[in-house]
Structures are given as C-alpha cells and as structure tokens.
Amino acid sequence: MTNVKYIYSEDLLRYRFSDSHPFNQMRLKLTTDLLMDLGVLTTQHILKPRVATDEELMLVHEPNYIEAIKKAGQGTLPESEYEKYGLASEDTPQFVNMHENSALVVGGTLTAVDAVMSGEVTCACHLGGGLHHGFKGKASGFCIYNDSAVAIQYIQSKYKQRVLYIDTDAHHGDGVQWSFYTNEDVMNYSIHETGRYLFPGTGALTERGDGKGFGTTVNVPLDAYTEDESYLDVFQETVEAVCESYKPDVILSVNGVDIHYLDPLTHLSCTLDTLYKIPYIVKDLADKYCDGKVIMIGGGGYNIWRVVPRAWSHVWFALNDLQTPHSPIPKSWIEKYQSQAPVPLPETWTDELDDYMEIPRQKEISEKNNNTKHRILEWFK
C-alpha cells in the first residue's frame, strides 16, 4: 500500500482551448512519464479522476454559468452571450465538450481531497488542477471552473475542516480570493508577482478580506524580476507565520511553476532551485501543523519542455520524502519526446543558466520585498 496518491488520466489532456493556446496539458503527460521512467511512480500510486457533479460545481459556480458552459461546449450558446460568461477572449475561448473536460479537472481535485480526508492516504497531488482564476459566473485566465475554490468549499461542507490555501503561482489567485473573501473559515495565502504589470492585476497587500473574513486573506506581491534568495526568504517566513497563527486542519496548495525565469508569460527571475524547494516547505508545514494532510495541485507553467516536468516532479518527490535524483534525466524520456520538442530537452536536473539575465537593481527589489515581508509578519505577532 502507498500513503500518497497521484491523480492522473490522459483524459485530462482534453482540457485544451486550441493547438496554439499556451495552456497545454501535455505537460501532465511529460511529468507523469518522467516520474514513471525514473521508477518513482507506478500504477499503484495512480487514481483516475472522477467527473465533478453539477451539485459539486454549484458549491461555487452559479447554475446559469454551468448551463452556459454546457451549451458553449456543444456550440449552442449564442455568441451574443460569450462576453457575459468570459468566453469572448483569447484567454478562455469556447472549445468542444468544455463542460465535461472542465468538470473532470474539478473532479480530479475532489478525488485527491477524498483520498486524503477519508484517511485512505495522508497526501495526494493532482497536477491537472489549479484553475484559480475561474469566477462564480465567469471564465477567466485560462480557467473555466475553479477546482481550487470548489475543493475548499467541498472540504468545508463535507468534512467541516479548516483549510489553509497556499498559492505560489506567479499570478494572483483572484478567483479563490473573491470566493472566500468574507469567510473566516478559510485562510487564503497567495505569493505572486505584483499585479502592476501582470494579469489579473489584483493581489495587493491591502486586500485582507472583509467582514468576518478580515485578516484571512494574505497577499504577498513581489516585484518583477525577484530572484531566488529574496523569494524564498519572503515565502518561508510569511507562510510559516500564517500557518502557525491559523492552525489549519488541512493544506491545499497550488503549485504554479511560472515563477521561473524562462516562463514566457511572467517576469519573475527564479530558477529551478526555488521551484524544487517550495513543495518541501509546504510539506513540512503540513507535517508540523496538519498531521501531514496536504493536497497539492498544479497551476500555471508555460515552458512545458525545459521547466514544468522537472519542477512538478519535485511535488511528487516532496510528498514521498524523496530528494532530487543524482542520476541524469532518463534517456528513455528524452528519446520519447525530443522529436516533439522545439528545444533540446534537459539532460540534468539543474538549470544551465546560460541565458540567465542579471538584474542591476536586484538590491532595490529585495529591499522592497523585505519591507512587504515585515509588514505581513507584524500582523501575526
């Protein structure tokens, strides 16, 4: 028996807006095959995702929105209503069977939640999840249904547990924040690139919740071009303070890997070193405060060849208390995918850094991030 489950099915690859859209779930297959070629993931670890029911989607989403997504996926939603539901943009265009394929993503996260909360396993991951921009009645930022928000409400409704949501995607998790902005039973922590230059433009330090939920939203906006040392310093100290203060029953984490300097959609300057450490930090918090109960899901990450598979492998390594392999990337994996990749696939677990750009004002950026950290730490003294 294994104490960790990996949620996966190739059916998840059908969540695809178009062949030219940057959100490409091929990265799931690349990561899964890399782990299997390493011999650290087997069929015994894998649970297939189920499809979320309409009732489960309605824990967060409005019924008319769900019906609109069903119609859009069958080509029967009038184009005049596309904008109303967020389907008129290049970010979230209509695609065939979009309801069924989006509900499968949500169901995958709920499968992971049930595996952990029922006691079947201590922790689980579903790298196909992490669609944190979806709103109650509108698609946004590559996200149709918000599996993170549905999972949090599902945990509250079915298991009556306190949830700490940790979001380390480069983009602010706006859909989750606004779903629970007045809810005192969810702690929402998001560390991200400042919205000054990056979608969705929210996630300011001053957004702290409202009403009974005031104080249960913590945003950590970092300056563009933040590097490893500053990122890890701010993340470790603030997330530990939040966790110690809130004392959650379970952690749900979004593991976007678009903070990497090679990501084409963002402006942070972190390397694989930081991406490798993040899931271990979250796992340590779960071990310390939640008897190990943690569900890790995916998120952003748009360099699917050189960044995502190696970074997401460390989510699985962390959950299984494994370290970065000393051996190179398996030749079998490289030979399987090199013909499809537009760039040479990596042969080791370290960044080459040949194209890493030093930022002249790094001291200024780090000082600004440090000030943000100290303002947050003041809240939890």
Side-chain angles (χ1 to χ4, degrees):
M1 288 290 290
T2 173
N3 201 33
V4 188
K5 287 296 184 183
Y6 185 93
I7 315 303
Y8 180 70
S9 161
E10 291 198 9
D11 291 342
L12 291 163
L13 275 61
R14 296 176 184 165
Y15 185 89
R16 187 84 172 108
F17 295 99
S18 71
D19 289 343
S20 60
H21 196 284
F23 191 95
N24 187 349
Q25 292 289 55
M26 180 66 183
R27 57 197 184 148
L28 298 177
K29 185 168 175 55
L30 291 168
T31 305
T32 303
D33 284 354
L34 177 56
L35 291 168
M36 296 194 90
D37 285 3
L38 281 167
V40 297
L41 177 69
T42 70
T43 54
Q44 284 189 316
H45 294 110
I46 295 178
L47 283 179
K48 288 191 173 183
R50 63 177 176 84
V51 177
T53 66
D54 286 6
E55 289 71 25
E56 289 167 342
L57 295 174
M58 283 189 283
L59 289 170
V60 168
H61 294 289
E62 296 167 354
N64 64 327
Y65 175 63
I66 297 170
E67 290 305 311
I69 295 301
K70 288 180 180 177
K71 290 180 180 177
Q74 300 304 314
T76 60
L77 182 71
E79 286 194 29
S80 58
E81 296 193 30
Y82 277 21
E83 186 167 355
K84 174 182 177 183
Y85 295 112
L87 303 175
S89 74
E90 293 182 355
D91 279 1
T92 49
Q94 174 270 353
F95 65 95
V96 174
N97 294 327
M98 65 191 307
H99 165 77
E100 291 79 3
N101 295 323
S102 303
L104 182 65
V105 173
V106 179
T109 301
L110 298 183
T111 301
V113 166
D114 281 330
V116 171
M117 301 309 295
S118 68
E120 178 186 356
V121 293
T122 304
C123 43
C125 72
H126 174 228
L127 297 172
L131 304 180
H132 59 170
H133 295 305
F135 290 102
K136 294 180 180 181
K138 194 169 186 177
S140 178
F142 310 164
C143 306
I144 306 300
Y145 297 138
N146 193 323
D147 64 300
S148 308
V150 171
I152 292 169
Q153 190 61 60
Y154 183 78
I155 293 171
Q156 284 198 321
S157 302
K158 183 173 180 178
Y159 297 104
K160 317 296 183 191
Q161 298 286 286
R162 287 161 61 85
V163 182
L164 169 59
Y165 173 75
I166 299 175
D167 190 329
T168 56
D169 192 281
H171 302 83
H172 174 230
D174 56 342
V176 176
Q177 172 172 298
W178 302 125
S179 294
F180 300 100
Y181 206 57
T182 59
N183 189 325
E184 61 188 326
D185 294 321
V186 177
M187 177 60 83
N188 176 15
Y189 172 99
S190 179
I191 183 168
H192 45 264
E193 180 183 334
T194 173
R196 198 176 310 130
Y197 313 110
L198 188 69
F199 175 90
T202 52
L205 190 65
T206 51
E207 295 168 19
R208 299 185 59 193
D210 197 13
K212 289 184 178 179
F214 181 78
T216 58
T217 292
V218 177
N219 282 304
V220 190
L222 300 176
D223 251 25
Y225 304 108
T226 292
E227 294 183 343
D228 288 331
E229 185 177 353
S230 179
Y231 186 103
L232 285 170
D233 173 59
V234 175
F235 176 58
Q236 281 186 292
E237 289 204 43
T238 55
V239 78
E240 172 86 35
V242 169
C243 199
E244 183 178 15
S245 172
Y246 188 65
K247 295 180 174 54
D249 297 311
V250 60
I251 293 174
L252 175 70
S253 69
V254 163
N255 295 263
V257 293
D258 45 2
I259 64 172
H260 194 274
Y261 76 96
L262 288 177
D263 193 275
L265 301 188
T266 64
H267 318 98
L268 295 173
S269 295
C270 294
T271 70
L272 286 173
D273 287 346
T274 294
L275 286 170
Y276 289 175
K277 288 173 182 169
I278 287 172
Y280 292 93
I281 293 170
V282 175
K283 175 65 162 51
D284 285 346
L285 291 174
D287 288 341
K288 188 174 180 181
Y289 295 100
C290 312
D291 295 326
K293 290 200 290 289
V294 60
I295 300 110
M296 295 191 183
I297 56 181
Y302 307 99
N303 187 323
I304 71 168
W305 303 104
R306 293 179 64 185
V307 177
V308 180
R310 289 185 291 177
W312 273 354
S313 290
H314 282 70
V315 171
W316 184 245
F317 295 160
L319 292 177
N320 286 278
D321 296 321
L322 301 171
Q323 298 301 315
T324 303
H326 295 298
S327 57
I329 301 292
K331 286 186 178 178
S332 56
W333 184 83
I334 295 173
E335 290 170 355
K336 193 182 306 178
Y337 289 112
Q338 185 57 77
S339 63
Q340 301 175 47
V343 294
L345 290 175
E347 297 182 358
T348 72
W349 293 92
T350 56
D351 277 315
E352 295 296 331
L353 298 179
D354 294 339
D355 44 6
Y356 190 84
M357 184 172 65
E358 297 290 341
I359 306 301
R361 61 182 189 88
Q362 198 51 236
K363 183 179 179 183
E364 176 190 334
I365 292 170
S366 297
E367 287 177 352
K368 193 168 184 179
N369 290 339
N370 198 44
N371 288 337
T372 297
K373 177 186 77 174
H374 284 293
R375 287 183 65 182
I376 292 169
L377 293 178
E378 283 292 322
W379 302 341
F380 295 96
K381 281 186 176 177

